[in-house]
Amino acid sequence: MPVPDLFAAGLARGWTTYDGSRLEDDLTLEADVAIVGSGAGGATSAEVLSAAGYKVLLIEEGPLRTSSDFDMQEARAYRSLYQEAIGRTSKDGAITILQGRAVGGTTLVNWTSSFRTPPQTLQHWASEHGVSGLSVEALQPWFERIEQRLGIAPWAVPPNANNAVLQRGCESLGQHWAVIPRNVRGCWNLGYCGMGCPTNAKQSMLVTSIPALLDKGGALLYLARAERLLMQGEQVVGLDCLGMDDRCVEPNGQRIRVVARHYILAGGGINTPALLLRSQAPDPHQRVGKRTFLHLTNFSAAQFDERIDAFSGAPQSIYSDHFQWRDGIAGPAGYKLEVPPIHPALAATLLGDFGPENAQRMAELPHTHAMIALQRDGFHPDSAEGTVELRSDGSPVLDYRMTDYAWNGVRRAFLSMAEIQFAAGARAVLPLHADAHYVRTPRAARELIEGLDLALYRTRLGSAHVMGGCAMGDDPRQAVTDSLGRHHQLANLSIHDGSLFPTSIGANPQLSIYALCAKLATELGDRLQKS
Amino acid sequence: MHEPSLNRRGLLKVGLLGGALLAGGGLLSRTLSASADGAASRFFVLRDSDLPMLRRLTPLLLEGSTAPSDMPQVVQTTLVSLDLGLHHLSPALLSQVRQLFDVLSLPLTRGPLSGIWSGWEVASDDQIRAFLQRWQNSSLALLRQGHASLLQMILMAWYASPAAWAHCGYPGPPKV
Ligand SMILES: Cc1cc2nc3c(=O)[nH]c(=O)nc-3n(C[C@H](O)[C@H](O)[C@H](O)COP(=O)(O)OP(=O)(O)OC[C@H]3O[C@@H](n4cnc5c(N)ncnc54)[C@H](O)[C@@H]3O)c2cc1C
Ligand code: SF4
């Protein structure tokens, strides 16, 4: 039986949407609240504010794609649902940066892991970054509310073989592991969350908050890029958007002028700072785009005698925080261990080398396990960090600078991952680095890893978690917004997305973004009522 | 012969040319670039000038992933897939890719930068492997970046194609 397409059904019921690629004329749209970006922060805020009675307009650069479009083909998903058709990298080209770009934002393609913000992180923000009002106790009800809303619960089905390796390895070494909570309802355990969930089981913004917004009479404008804020004194007085062509590559010449009482930026890391930079919004202390973090990720592959089929089954269900906080909040770089789903196109680029060697590694795909370590960047003064810049055409790029401290974390993570893979029974392990080859013993792995030249391009690096760049905090010299997400210089502008975080989270960020933005949007709704 | 950049003058020349062309926007790249050319027939983005390089490089990168007799078809499939991916890139990234292809294809830069002096059609496999090695280990970050992106683009384009999946034991997506 075909899966019903919830979104198509809503459109048939008369939801208000505008397709920026099909406008005949320039358009002016008015709303109480205009929100840029339909991902975790934007859609959550849209649901809250429309439920509070405001007329909300949600603006999205990417296309509208719904469950019936999700055919689980890598190429189609990557080119239509990811920023820059999955070509986004750090400025030097050395770090692949995965972010979503479609109605639903990155929640459409994320892997459903749902963690509360670690208490250590919240404490660090309060003591080091002037963040107030975000204690564990203050956030608790918001986490509970979102967990209910999005069906978040520890994955009750046995982990797929790829995740089971992490569990088994940690168990045998006496290291921490635990089951990951996922935002799913009726998940088919397919493993294609990264290409858009074909069954609507994933509780992404596409099937939760955006339908709730549209059911309340809110409006969605997609294939429209918010280009520039118009400002007068301390007020935003308008927002200029550009209609995009249907591939979302270039503006198509149509303009949409948006006028609202209040504006919320929720374009996510890199893109929200970019909109402020393009608009030349006041930034007296040069904070916009600074301190952007990535949970910089390195990879370890391993071959097993048995089949792993890492392309199949819920992609992430087991994690380990053994190395996350062990050396203190600001000691040597801490990292979270997880596994990624492995489909052929991405695998081919990750496994490295070319010709017969790459072909040989690919031939073993069904027996190949992969593990990732996500660095908790931004806590230590020597941590790597990124700065958002604009290219000459106004598009953003992240200049992320590695440091010795960060490389040290990468090396230790290679060691940890290899040890766990062998402990789980791997017959060979391959740290993903241009000079590495499969090695068959823990000792050979240690020697190999200790000798690796950890340099850009030789080391495979990636990120799926862009955070920061518009830090919140009560001191305007350090932060772009206050702890309520209000822009320090512009009175009717807020930021509600992952760019608010003053450091990385130290856990996959989506639940942190949902909970924080639900809180900020509720408080904003109350303030708008009074004013 | 395949390491001409090891002599100092060569290196300097390579550095200047490489910098001007790859960093983009230089006078050189505007006068010499082939990027004004339209797409080759049956492609959205790939130009006639890109094809000799891609047609030699692709079979080498994919060697071992298919029967040699199927290679011509594999190369065609890969280029079609690559082309479609490039057709969705942001303008800024696409222009970087075009400059990379130009540097590798235009005679003035191809020889000094890649060591493929006499043209891609007649280059031997060993010369092409030497070029890849040299770029991977170059002192110029732009060439190291170029090496990484060439490999990733082409491998990804092939393994995204269903025709590639038998080799890697991937059953394809399940039925929903
Ligand atoms: C492959 C992958 C797997 C992931 N897995 C997990 C996971 O398992 N668990 C987890 O917690 N996190 C995961 N994440 C990360 C998580 O989904 C994101 O951190 C989160 O969605 C970010 O929320 P956000 O609101 O900051 O921005 P996004 O969700 O990225 O939304 C921003 C939206 O704004 C749009 N936009 C940007 N600029 C403009 C503009 N100028 N005009 C109009 N629209 C604009 C973008 O196109 C985008 O759709 C994953 C990410 C990726 C890429
Ligand atoms: S694993 Fe579950 S949530 Fe992910 S794509 Fe499959 S059905 Fe959807």
Side-chain angles (χ1 to χ4, degrees):
Chain A
M1 196 193 71
V3 174
D5 188 327
L6 305 176
F7 212 93
L11 289 172
R13 288 201 303 278
W15 283 347
T16 308
T17 61
Y18 305 90
D19 177 346
S21 74
R22 297 188 160 201
L23 298 176
E24 305 270 300
D25 277 309
D26 290 359
L27 187 68
T28 301
L29 295 172
E30 291 179 20
D32 295 324
V33 183
I35 303 179
V36 176
S38 64
T44 300
S45 303
E47 175 174 10
V48 167
L49 287 163
S50 62
Y54 296 100
K55 187 177 168 201
V56 175
L57 170 67
L58 190 59
I59 303 159
E60 171 57 50
E61 175 168 356
L64 174 62
R65 294 279 187 275
T66 63
S67 56
S68 42
D69 299 314
F70 299 146
D71 60 4
M72 299 179 274
Q73 295 285 342
E74 281 183 276
R76 198 184 327 274
Y78 297 156
R79 67 178 181 250
S80 63
L81 306 179
Y82 285 73
Q83 291 286 336
E84 302 190 79
I86 216 168
R88 181 164 281 188
T89 64
S90 53
K91 188 180 179 190
D92 53 25
I95 306 170
T96 294
I97 298 177
L98 303 181
Q99 285 181 289
R101 185 205 56 197
V103 173
T106 308
T107 76
L108 203 66
V109 295
N110 79 19
W111 299 338
T112 74
S113 296
S114 304
F115 297 97
R116 292 187 182 191
T117 318
Q120 295 92 326
T121 302
L122 294 173
Q123 277 147 22
H124 183 78
W125 292 354
S127 64
E128 304 300 317
H129 294 277
V131 173
S132 54
L134 295 185
S135 63
V136 174
E137 298 71 37
L139 280 174
Q140 161 121 351
W142 300 100
F143 287 131
E144 286 168 359
R145 173 171 158 178
I146 297 292
E147 284 160 356
Q148 262 173 24
R149 173 74 178 100
L150 302 182
I152 293 173
W155 182 230
V157 174
N160 72 357
N162 202 36
N163 281 276
V165 165
L166 178 56
Q167 177 182 31
R168 209 160 62 232
C170 289
E171 186 66 36
S172 96
L173 293 169
Q175 296 180 357
H176 167 267
W177 65 267
V179 173
I180 295 181
R182 303 183 63 221
N183 59 324
V184 295
R185 288 196 167 94
C187 170
W188 295 26
N189 204 14
L190 300 175
Y192 289 78
C193 310
M195 298 170 218
C197 175
T199 70
N200 289 321
K202 173 161 65 171
Q203 300 295 290
S204 75
M205 295 295 99
L206 180 73
V207 302
T208 56
S209 295
I210 297 173
L213 161 78
L214 296 171
D215 276 335
K216 286 271 184 213
L220 169 69
L221 166 65
Y222 59 93
L223 283 169
R225 172 189 295 161
E227 181 67 11
R228 204 173 292 277
L229 295 164
L230 309 170
M231 293 157 291
Q232 254 169 31
E234 295 188 351
Q235 294 286 318
V236 176
V237 295
L239 172 64
D240 267 348
C241 303
L242 305 177
M244 302 298 292
D245 65 37
D246 58 3
R247 284 171 294 130
C248 199
V249 171
E250 299 208 62
N252 61 6
Q254 305 297 350
R255 292 181 168 270
I256 306 101
R257 166 66 58 85
V258 173
V259 181
R261 247 176 96 192
H262 197 92
Y263 300 81
I264 297 177
L265 304 189
I270 299 182
N271 293 318
T272 286
L275 176 52
L276 289 170
L277 291 171
R278 275 200 301 273
S279 308
Q280 295 176 307
D283 182 19
H285 307 286
Q286 308 273 303
R287 298 317 303 154
V288 173
K290 303 282 165 56
R291 292 184 60 79
T292 297
F293 300 108
L294 292 178
H295 280 163
L296 184 78
T297 298
N298 61 322
F299 305 77
S300 187
Q303 290 177 351
F304 285 77
D305 290 332
E306 68 271 25
R307 286 183 76 98
I308 301 292
D309 289 346
F311 38 77
S312 175
Q316 297 194 313
S317 53
I318 302 288
Y319 74 102
S320 169
D321 267 349
H322 189 77
F323 300 96
Q324 182 71 286
W325 306 102
R326 198 180 55 156
D327 299 309
I329 189 145
Y335 42 89
K336 194 179 199 77
L337 297 176
E338 296 176 347
V339 305
I342 294 289
H343 296 92
L346 218 54
T349 70
L350 283 175
L351 288 175
D353 219 320
F354 64 86
E357 180 61 32
N358 180 269
Q360 185 51 42
R361 291 175 185 179
M362 284 303 289
E364 291 295 319
L365 188 69
H367 294 268
T368 302
H369 172 261
M371 199 184 297
I372 50 179
L374 298 87
Q375 305 273 333
R376 182 166 53 75
D377 48 353
F379 288 80
H380 189 281
D382 297 333
S383 166
E385 67 179 61
T387 301
V388 178
E389 298 175 355
L390 296 182
R391 301 180 182 124
S392 57
D393 67 355
S395 63
V397 65
L398 183 71
D399 188 8
Y400 189 88
R401 300 283 175 92
M402 289 296 286
T403 60
D404 290 345
Y405 174 89
W407 283 123
N408 174 270
V410 168
R411 194 182 307 275
R412 284 183 294 108
F414 272 140
L415 290 166
S416 309
M417 293 191 283
E419 188 178 23
I420 293 169
Q421 288 169 321
F422 277 120
R427 74 165 117 92
V429 167
L430 173 73
L432 295 186
H433 183 286
D435 301 331
H437 45 272
Y438 273 106
V439 288
R440 297 191 167 270
T441 65
R443 186 180 165 160
R446 243 185 340 268
E447 281 168 8
L448 171 73
I449 292 165
E450 268 154 15
L452 284 177
D453 171 18
L454 295 184
L456 295 181
Y457 313 109
R458 305 193 95 74
T459 317
R460 274 272 164 280
L461 296 173
S463 167
H465 301 165
V466 184
M467 294 157 290
C470 290
M472 59 181 162
D474 295 332
D475 180 353
R477 288 166 308 176
Q478 283 189 31
V480 176
T481 77
D482 65 13
S483 299
L484 298 173
R486 297 182 298 194
H487 193 272
H488 275 302
Q489 284 80 31
L490 294 165
N492 60 340
L493 179 67
S494 301
I495 297 176
H496 289 190
D497 64 20
S499 67
L500 286 173
F501 300 146
T503 63
S504 71
I505 293 286
N508 310 39
Q510 67 168 341
L511 179 52
S512 295
I513 299 170
Y514 298 133
L516 174 65
C517 295
K519 175 177 182 293
L520 299 182
T522 303
E523 292 160 347
L524 170 63
D526 292 345
R527 286 198 306 277
L528 288 175
Q529 211 84 55
K530 289 187 200 114
S531 64
Chain B
M1 174 66 203
H2 60 247
E3 270 295 10
S5 75
L6 283 184
N7 91 41
R8 268 200 73 190
R9 271 189 58 212
L11 200 92
L12 202 71
K13 213 164 62 184
V14 163
L16 289 174
L17 280 177
L21 276 164
L22 284 168
L27 188 65
L28 258 180
S29 73
R30 231 162 290 150
T31 42
L32 292 180
S33 166
S35 44
D37 298 4
S41 81
R42 284 180 298 146
F43 289 114
F44 292 109
V45 173
L46 294 179
R47 301 155 301 179
D48 283 317
S49 58
D50 303 328
L51 296 177
M53 182 269 295
L54 290 170
R55 291 212 163 110
R56 281 299 282 116
L57 200 53
T58 304
L60 199 94
L61 296 183
L62 298 180
E63 185 189 341
S65 70
T66 185
S69 57
D70 292 339
M71 194 52 96
Q73 187 51 46
V74 166
V75 171
Q76 192 54 24
T77 303
T78 304
L79 295 189
V80 167
S81 164
L82 174 66
D83 184 61
L84 196 54
L86 296 178
H87 190 45
H88 287 76
L89 273 193
S90 60
L93 290 184
L94 180 59
S95 86
Q96 285 179 20
V97 171
R98 284 189 162 141
Q99 286 179 24
L100 172 65
F101 289 177
D102 284 347
V103 159
L104 285 172
S105 300
L106 296 170
L108 190 76
T109 47
R110 187 195 60 232
L113 276 172
S114 69
I116 308 290
W117 291 93
S118 45
W120 288 98
E121 287 95 335
V122 295
S124 70
D125 284 2
D126 281 346
Q127 278 171 326
I128 300 179
R129 281 192 205 99
F131 143 68
L132 288 170
Q133 259 241 306
R134 181 170 144 202
W135 275 38
Q136 183 176 26
N137 298 308
S138 169
S139 59
L140 296 173
L142 281 163
L143 303 195
R144 297 200 298 276
Q145 180 184 351
H147 170 267
S149 45
L150 275 176
L151 259 59
Q152 288 181 30
M153 271 189 281
I154 291 174
L155 289 168
M156 187 152 187
W158 168 235
Y159 281 103
S161 318
W165 296 345
H167 169 74
C168 61
Y170 175 57
K175 282 257 176 322
V176 168

